[in-house]
Amino acid sequence: TYLRAVAYLTGGDSAEDVVLMGGAGVERGAVDVDLVEVYTAAFDEHGRPVQDLAGTDFEVREDGRPQTMRKFQKVTNLPLQFGMLVDTSASMADSLPEVQQAALGFFRDSLEPADRAAVLTFSEEPRLATPFTGDLERLSAALVGLKAERGTALWDSLVFALHYFQGTPGRRALLVFSDGADRGSKYTFDQALAYAEHSGVSVYAISFGGAGTSLLEGARRLGKLTEATGGRAFVLGGVGELAKTYDAIDEDLRSQYLLVYQSDGNGPGFRAVDVRVRRPGVTTRAMRGYIP
């Protein structure tokens, strides 16, 4: 068994070390530590972020039972691990060039020195275009020359992207850019939703409005998935709305609170999480639950 520790400095550098915890002949035991991290955004009645809350303003319940908070922190300066999953199927042919330019702008304007981002693309299967990095040139290169062709294995690619986040520390967010229609995935939507609830990654989704039945159903399912993970779904009328949408996502990620509690739950099944603020007129958005 190994313990890997990573430290991230505010200037963008990092350092890590690995320690061997046990070798041959050493007895091993298992301890369940149900320490739950809930990243939460708070908003006033006009939808503006509320950034002056204290730990005592929050109430966290799991399966209806009040939980005792062990840690509270405003996460403005915590490093962000950000993945961008871009649909390159044939249905994205008209909007893909603008999507590429807007994504480049998002990386250039929103990523802080300590943040790391990855680019994944998909059509009939997912592909890791560039691993987590803070190098803007590598991120830009991963978005150049994308071609819109073939089918759309959305749910397979979503599970692939969430799996890629395993082992990454701190705040984690995945932006899914797709028209929401799935064609040919081996995973079902319900399986992808369950995996997302287990991952601890906030999912954001951007799609364009369409009249087709498959597009409307895809947008609805993406909305359900983002709501369950504490993210947001945006249905745009055109590519001209991309810039302000990216600004909204960036503001959302930079104005959150980290609530940590020791779960008193039992069993491996889904546990519902409810976060509320005692201040009148303030609402929250956080993951709806998790699978331990």
Side-chain angles (χ1 to χ4, degrees), residues 101-237:
Q101 291 301 315
L104 290 172
F106 178 83
F107 286 142
R108 182 179 59 250
D109 299 335
S110 300
L111 292 185
E112 300 291 340
D115 296 340
R116 296 294 180 267
V119 176
L120 304 98
T121 63
F122 72 97
S123 54
E124 292 178 342
E125 60 183 22
R127 181 180 73 91
L128 177 62
T130 186
F132 283 113
T133 179
D135 188 336
L136 288 177
E137 290 187 4
R138 291 187 65 186
L139 293 169
S140 300
L143 290 165
V144 173
L146 298 180
K147 296 181 179 180
E149 56 187 4
R150 299 182 294 174
T152 314
L154 175 56
W155 309 130
D156 286 356
S157 302
L158 178 70
V159 171
F160 175 88
L162 293 172
H163 180 77
Y164 180 65
F165 274 91
Q166 286 190 354
T168 57
R171 291 185 301 158
R172 302 179 298 171
L174 175 66
L175 173 58
V176 181
F177 204 106
S178 175
D179 56 17
D182 180 89
R183 302 176 182 89
S185 282
K186 297 180 178 65
Y187 285 99
T188 66
F189 166 71
D190 289 337
Q191 289 172 322
L193 176 61
Y195 198 91
E197 291 171 338
H198 185 77
S199 70
V201 178
S202 297
V203 179
Y204 293 78
I206 297 177
S207 59
F208 293 110
T213 302
S214 63
L215 295 181
L216 293 174
E217 178 64 14
R220 185 192 68 80
R221 288 182 169 182
L222 283 174
K224 183 177 179 180
L225 192 146
T226 60
E227 183 180 7
T229 60
R232 296 176 64 183
F234 301 85
V235 180
L236 310 186

Side-chain angles (χ1 to χ4, degrees), residues 40-45 50 275 277 279 281-285:
T40 304
F43 303 91
D44 63 18
E45 60 270 20
V50 178
V275 179
V277 174
R279 183 183 298 182
V282 177
T283 58
T284 64
R285 186 174 64 253

Side-chain angles (χ1 to χ4, degrees), residues 15-40:
E16 65 179 86
D17 199 2
V18 179
V19 178
L20 179 65
M21 302 299 293
V26 178
E27 293 186 4
R28 294 181 174 87
V31 178
D32 291 330
V33 182
D34 289 338
L35 201 64
V36 183
E37 294 184 343
V38 184
Y39 289 94
T40 304

Side-chain angles (χ1 to χ4, degrees), residues 7-15 77-79 111-116 133-135:
Y8 294 92
L9 307 180
T10 56
D13 296 330
S14 65
N77 297 320
L78 286 182
L111 292 185
E112 300 291 340
D115 296 340
R116 296 294 180 267
T133 179
D135 188 336

